[in-house]
Amino acid sequence: MMGRHMCCFIFFLLWQAANGDVSYSFQEEMKRGSHIGNIAKDLNLDVNTLSSRNARVDAAGNRKRYCDISLSTGDLIVADRIDREELCGEKLSCVIKRDLVLENPLELHPFSLHIQDINDNSPQFNDEMINIEIQESADRGARFVVEEAHDADVGQNSVQQYSLKKNDNFILAATGNTVELILDKELDREKQEEINLLLTALDGGSPQRSGTVVIHVTVLDANDNAPVFSQAVYKASLPENSPVDTVVVTVSATDADVGVNGDVTYDFGHVAEDVKKVFSIDRKNGEIKVNGRVDFETVTSYDLRIKAKDGLGLSSYTKVTVDITDVNDNVPVIYVKSLANPVPENVSPGTEVGIINVQDADSDNNQKVHCSIQQNVPFKLVPSIKNYYSLVTTGQLDRELVSDYNITITATDEGSPPLSSSKTVQLSVADINDNPPVFEEQSYSAYVTENNKPGSTLCSISARDPDWRQNGTVIYSLLPGEVNGAPVSSYLSVNGDTGAIHAVRSFDYEQFRSFKVHVMARDNGSPPLSSNVTVSVFISDVNDNSPQILYPGPEGNSFMTELVPKAAHGGSLVSKVIAVDADSGQNAWLSYHIVKSTDPGLFTIGLHSGEIRTQRDISESDSMKQNLIVSVKDNGQPSLSATCSMYLLISDNLAEVPELKDISYDEKNSKLTSYLIIALVSVSTFFLTFIIIILGVRFCRRRKPRLLFDGAVAIPSAYLPPNYADVDGTGTLRSTYNYDAYLTTGSRTSDFKFVTSYNDNTLPADQTLRKNTIHYFPFVSITITNIFTV
């Protein structure tokens, strides 16, 4: 027998069982945190990886674990109160099986806990007093069975011996579970009708515990036969979930006595209160019926002690063993032991994202479970150890297509009929920056009118990124570049958040008409992804340039004079006004008008050609000196204009030319000319605009290009505007005509030029004119310099 000091001593015994499990033996009722054994050492596990592998003790279903593992040391420690009597009852061997689960990779190590009994329960009798009725005629040596004491402990800690307080009539005989009073001296009811005996039950624990009961003996007249059961042991089989009042078994006992001495009644002997909640016994006929819920998963068998008693107190006992058979009444239960949530969308197929455990409380085939996923999702269950499954990916995940999955797992057992259950696992897909921004259009075009205000919005670009949060946040920026030798940032700017493109400065159509920039859309991921798009900016023209008259030149200290032969007929080409407009389109469509002339009926000018011709034959009465004031207008809205003076001399030779200084107008005539021009323009604006549009459409569609000027006109290169070129045929000159002159002998104050014509499609101001050999004589250009006072 162990000493008292050994009861608190914690010990464990490690050995390998037949199935290879690790086993530990320790006493019940140990304090929480008490050391059981170092399972990491016993299983050759690396203690440093226990935490990262989520090591834990797992129990099937909702059962208690009773122990846990220290992740820092690998020790098994007590986690809950362990009462051997509660767990195993009267069984001598009390074993708890648990599993040690590790992840990454998944490992399952079963181990057993052998719970050792300590002497923490005292022997107890079923009743506080035992009543025995004995006939006075009982012979010496007669034996009377007494119900034994019950001790919840087992082994040495259970009831080991009985003692009877010394008395005159009885001695005690205890063999195994049978306790008998032996009549050592005959009874005499007339001397002593009642006898009280004190019976003590002692266990073998240390310290020793005991329990007592008073045996009240009533001395009766002779009843010398006790009831006798038909069987020493009754056996029955009962399906679980049997309804109430189901007859389990019927016990039967007979008594050879007659009358009251032969009336037998039945009752339970020493059984637990929980058993009385499940079964009942009919006191008259001995039927044992179901009185409560029978559950195979709770108790698989019952041992019932039944007592038969006759009318005068003699009794006997029998044993009834009821085996509970399993019925498939438990659906499989699905447990999610671990789950990686969310899962990055770039995980490779076959990656383990969760561990599923399935438990069924039934037995045999009713306990075998199949687990599956019926949905069309990129996940599957892979059977692992025992009833564990790994949830793994089967394909590439794409958060932009599916961001969340509801995975329904179905577990079905092999019972008849089969039972099944389902559990839905919610799994989110974490975003990865795997999509660059994509512009809504392949390229963008922006249209802006010249002379725009700086800061005005030209257009807006937009790019979409299907990624999430910062991975899908788009930022816009201009790519470095140059436009006409200047940084692109000096022309445009882009709003980084909205993609709106703004003009940094005002544009001039006459400097450039279009340019391209490149805009980058970049997301905010790590690393960031980007894409580019081309934005073409087109500048439209505004009528902001007045016509420039190339010929005749502006008045100053010298003026140009044209000679007209006296024999000129009506329709003869006299001269030509040449003008250009830096604008384009209809803003550069020019029209020519004579606003004042010395003889209004003598000359006319081509509306669009600028050619000055005679309207009739020249007569002797016509003034030799003719002055024309010509207005050149463009077709813009509003229209801009310029004027020039044309001096003509009607003469066949210079000898007839009078004092040339008289050609110039006096101050009075100049003022009158200005007044006439203003009045003419004011009165005729509407009418002339209408006529110009009609004539312009008519000439553009129906007339073929013609030589605008066939006469002799001197156009010094100084009259051409800088960088002028007629673009796209939108200017006044359909074909460019350039003129040069050659000096001849004559007056010292005059330059006579024979004129040649040049025809080029485009004439830049800084290029040298090419000359043709065709000469025109009828008209002579005279340049008179600084010889008259104007």
Side-chain angles (χ1 to χ4, degrees):
M1 184 178 296
M2 300 175 62
R4 179 181 180 88
H5 64 281
M6 293 299 292
C7 293
C8 299
F9 177 74
I10 300 173
F11 68 95
F12 71 91
L13 177 62
L14 171 65
W15 73 93
Q16 296 293 330
N19 58 2
D21 294 352
V22 178
S23 298
Y24 298 89
S25 178
F26 59 99
Q27 293 180 345
E28 64 175 329
E29 303 293 348
M30 292 176 64
K31 293 182 179 180
R32 288 184 176 86
S34 298
H35 177 268
I36 298 174
N38 192 303
I39 192 170
K41 179 179 178 182
D42 299 333
L43 294 176
N44 294 322
L45 300 177
D46 187 358
V47 176
N48 298 326
T49 63
L50 294 179
S51 178
S52 62
R53 296 186 64 184
N54 194 19
R56 62 187 180 275
V57 175
D58 198 7
N62 295 322
R63 299 177 181 176
K64 291 184 178 181
R65 292 174 301 162
Y66 291 114
C67 63
D68 207 342
I69 183 171
S70 173
L71 297 180
S72 59
T73 63
D75 290 335
L76 274 180
I77 57 176
V78 176
D80 295 293
R81 175 178 176 265
I82 301 176
D83 185 355
R84 192 206 62 81
E85 288 74 28
E86 180 182 338
L87 290 174
C88 302
E90 297 180 358
K91 295 180 180 179
L92 293 177
S93 176
C94 184
V95 180
I96 301 175
K97 293 185 179 295
R98 294 295 182 262
D99 295 324
L100 177 64
V101 181
L102 297 97
E103 299 179 7
N104 299 319
L106 177 64
E107 292 183 16
L108 191 69
H109 298 282
F111 62 93
S112 301
L113 301 176
H114 290 257
I115 311 302
Q116 293 185 347
D117 183 49
I118 62 173
N119 191 26
D120 57 341
N121 292 280
S122 299
Q124 291 183 349
F125 290 91
N126 195 38
D127 299 312
E128 293 182 358
M129 178 178 290
I130 300 175
N131 293 311
I132 299 178
E133 296 176 343
I134 303 176
Q135 289 288 340
E136 63 177 347
S137 60
D139 296 333
R140 183 183 177 202
R143 294 175 176 265
F144 304 94
V145 178
V146 179
E147 185 175 1
E148 74 273 15
H150 174 74
D151 193 330
D153 297 323
V154 296
Q156 190 68 23
N157 295 324
S158 64
V159 176
Q160 298 296 316
Q161 59 181 337
Y162 293 87
S163 65
L164 183 65
K165 188 176 180 181
K166 188 175 181 180
N167 60 89
D168 296 330
N169 299 98
F170 296 92
I171 60 175
L172 185 65
T175 304
N177 292 328
T178 302
V179 180
E180 296 176 316
L181 290 178
I182 301 176
L183 185 60
D184 188 50
K185 181 180 178 181
E186 290 80 4
L187 299 174
D188 186 356
R189 189 188 65 83
E190 287 69 27
K191 290 184 179 179
Q192 190 175 8
E193 187 177 353
E194 296 181 349
I195 301 172
N196 288 324
L197 305 175
L198 181 62
L199 178 64
T200 302
L202 301 171
D203 63 20
S206 178
Q208 191 176 50
R209 294 175 178 266
S210 63
T212 60
V213 66
V214 174
I215 301 175
H216 180 75
V217 179
T218 301
V219 182
L220 302 175
D221 287 338
N223 179 24
D224 54 353
N225 292 287
V228 177
F229 281 98
S230 61
Q231 299 179 30
V233 176
Y234 292 83
K235 292 185 178 181
S237 178
L238 179 67
E240 66 172 327
N241 301 327
S242 294
V244 175
D245 290 337
T246 299
V247 177
V248 180
V249 69
T250 300
V251 297
S252 177
T254 59
D255 194 312
D257 295 324
V258 295
V260 176
N261 295 331
D263 293 335
V264 178
T265 59
Y266 303 93
D267 200 357
F268 287 114
H270 181 80
V271 295
E273 291 297 324
D274 291 340
V275 176
K276 292 181 180 180
K277 294 179 182 179
V278 179
F279 300 102
S280 65
I281 187 169
D282 190 303
R283 294 180 60 84
K284 294 296 184 181
N285 58 28
E287 284 186 345
I288 299 175
K289 297 181 179 180
V290 175
N291 189 43
R293 182 172 181 266
V294 180
D295 187 6
F296 174 84
E297 287 70 43
T298 302
V299 180
T300 59
S301 66
Y302 292 90
D303 289 330
L304 308 179
R305 188 169 177 82
I306 307 299
K307 178 175 71 172
K309 180 181 177 182
D310 63 19
L312 294 180
L314 295 180
S315 62
S316 61
Y317 295 85
T318 190
K319 180 179 179 181
V320 177
T321 300
V322 181
D323 292 325
I324 309 300
T325 58
D326 183 41
V327 174
N328 190 28
D329 60 342
N330 290 278
V331 297
V333 182
I334 302 172
Y335 299 96
V336 179
K337 293 299 183 178
S338 67
L339 186 66
N341 197 8
V343 179
E345 61 178 324
N346 63 344
V347 297
S348 57
T351 301
E352 182 182 270
V353 297
I355 297 175
I356 308 299
N357 179 241
V358 184
Q359 299 288 341
D360 193 313
D362 295 318
S363 63
D364 299 329
N365 288 340
N366 296 333
Q367 191 181 38
K368 296 179 181 179
V369 179
H370 300 284
C371 201
S372 63
I373 298 174
Q374 303 298 328
Q375 298 164 286
N376 185 19
V377 292
F379 300 93
K380 69 177 181 179
L381 289 174
V382 177
S384 185
I385 304 172
K386 202 175 178 179
N387 50 358
Y388 282 85
Y389 294 83
S390 295
L391 181 63
V392 300
T393 59
T394 60
Q396 191 66 47
L397 304 180
D398 189 348
R399 190 206 65 84
E400 287 69 46
L401 295 178
V402 181
S403 60
D404 295 281
Y405 289 94
N406 289 326
I407 306 170
T408 300
I409 301 173
T410 302
T412 305
D413 62 26
E414 294 185 2
S416 180
L419 299 178
S420 64
S421 64
S422 298
K423 187 178 186 66
T424 299
V425 177
Q426 294 182 342
L427 199 62
S428 299
V429 182
D431 185 50
I432 299 296
N433 191 27
D434 56 349
N435 290 280
V438 177
F439 286 95
E440 294 181 351
E441 299 180 18
Q442 293 183 351
S443 62
Y444 291 85
S445 298
Y447 298 90
V448 60
T449 305
E450 66 172 331
N451 303 325
N452 58 292
K453 292 183 178 180
S456 59
T457 301
L458 304 186
C459 69
S460 182
I461 62 175
S462 179
R464 296 290 181 264
D465 193 319
D467 291 324
W468 195 46
R469 290 188 176 175
Q470 71 269 16
N471 293 333
T473 302
V474 180
I475 302 172
Y476 304 93
S477 62
L478 285 174
L479 291 177
E482 291 187 353
V483 176
N484 287 351
V488 66
S489 59
S490 64
Y491 288 87
L492 300 177
S493 66
V494 62
N495 189 307
D497 297 326
T498 65
I501 297 179
H502 305 280
V504 174
R505 65 181 182 182
S506 178
F507 299 122
D508 188 357
Y509 176 84
E510 287 70 43
Q511 290 184 1
F512 53 90
R513 301 183 181 183
S514 65
F515 61 91
K516 294 182 178 180
V517 297
H518 299 284
V519 180
M520 179 179 68
R522 175 180 59 83
D523 60 29
N524 213 17
S526 179
L529 301 177
S530 64
S531 59
N532 301 334
V533 72
T534 300
V535 179
S536 300
V537 180
F538 298 95
I539 304 169
S540 59
D541 185 45
V542 173
N543 191 31
D544 58 348
N545 290 280
S546 300
Q548 284 186 271
I549 299 176
L550 304 181
Y551 184 84
E555 294 187 46
N557 294 332
S558 64
F559 56 87
M560 301 296 296
T561 302
E562 299 283 353
L563 289 179
V564 181
K566 291 179 179 180
H569 299 288
S572 299
L573 179 62
V574 174
S575 184
K576 177 180 176 66
V577 176
I578 301 175
V580 294
D581 196 311
D583 295 319
S584 66
Q586 66 177 8
N587 294 330
W589 294 351
L590 302 182
S591 60
Y592 300 84
H593 310 275
I594 297 177
V595 296
K596 180 182 179 183
S597 64
T598 302
D599 189 346
L602 182 56
F603 300 101
T604 184
I605 189 169
L607 181 63
H608 296 292
S609 66
E611 294 178 345
I612 300 176
R613 297 179 181 271
T614 58
Q615 293 191 75
R616 57 178 173 79
D617 295 343
I618 295 177
S619 63
E620 293 294 336
S621 61
D622 291 328
S623 174
M624 179 182 294
K625 296 179 291 183
Q626 295 290 332
N627 184 27
L628 303 178
I629 298 177
V630 178
S631 173
V632 183
K633 296 182 179 180
D634 60 26
N635 199 33
Q637 294 294 334
S639 176
L640 301 177
S641 63
T643 59
C644 65
S645 297
M646 178 70 72
Y647 303 103
L648 303 176
L649 292 177
I650 302 176
S651 176
D652 289 331
N653 56 68
L654 293 178
E656 299 177 359
V657 179
E659 290 294 331
L660 293 178
K661 66 181 179 178
D662 295 336
I663 294 177
S664 61
Y665 294 108
D666 56 18
E667 182 179 353
K668 181 178 181 181
N669 290 336
S670 298
K671 292 183 179 179
L672 178 60
T673 299
S674 300
Y675 297 152
L676 289 174
I677 292 174
I678 294 173
L680 181 61
V681 172
S682 301
V683 174
S684 305
T685 298
F686 179 77
F687 177 74
L688 289 177
T689 302
F690 179 76
I691 295 299
I692 289 171
I693 294 173
I694 297 300
L695 292 177
V697 173
R698 178 181 177 185
F699 275 89
C700 290
R701 293 183 177 180
R702 298 183 180 180
R703 295 192 63 183
K704 295 181 179 181
R706 53 172 292 182
L707 293 176
L708 300 180
F709 182 49
D710 299 324
V713 182
I715 309 176
S717 61
Y719 294 151
L720 294 173
N723 297 327
Y724 170 73
D726 185 25
V727 180
D728 298 333
T730 57
T732 300
L733 301 179
R734 300 296 177 89
S735 298
T736 305
Y737 293 87
N738 304 294
Y739 304 88
D740 204 353
Y742 299 90
L743 295 176
T744 62
T745 58
S747 170
R748 292 177 301 170
T749 61
S750 299
D751 294 330
F752 299 92
K753 298 184 177 180
F754 297 100
V755 181
T756 62
S757 175
Y758 303 94
N759 185 358
D760 295 307
N761 289 331
T762 303
L763 179 63
D766 56 350
Q767 293 184 2
T768 304
L769 301 177
R770 297 190 300 272
K771 302 179 182 180
N772 295 332
T773 57
I774 302 175
H775 300 278
Y776 296 88
F777 181 73
F779 308 104
V780 181
S781 214
I782 304 175
T783 303
I784 303 174
T785 307
N786 297 326
I787 59 174
F788 298 108
T789 303
V790 179

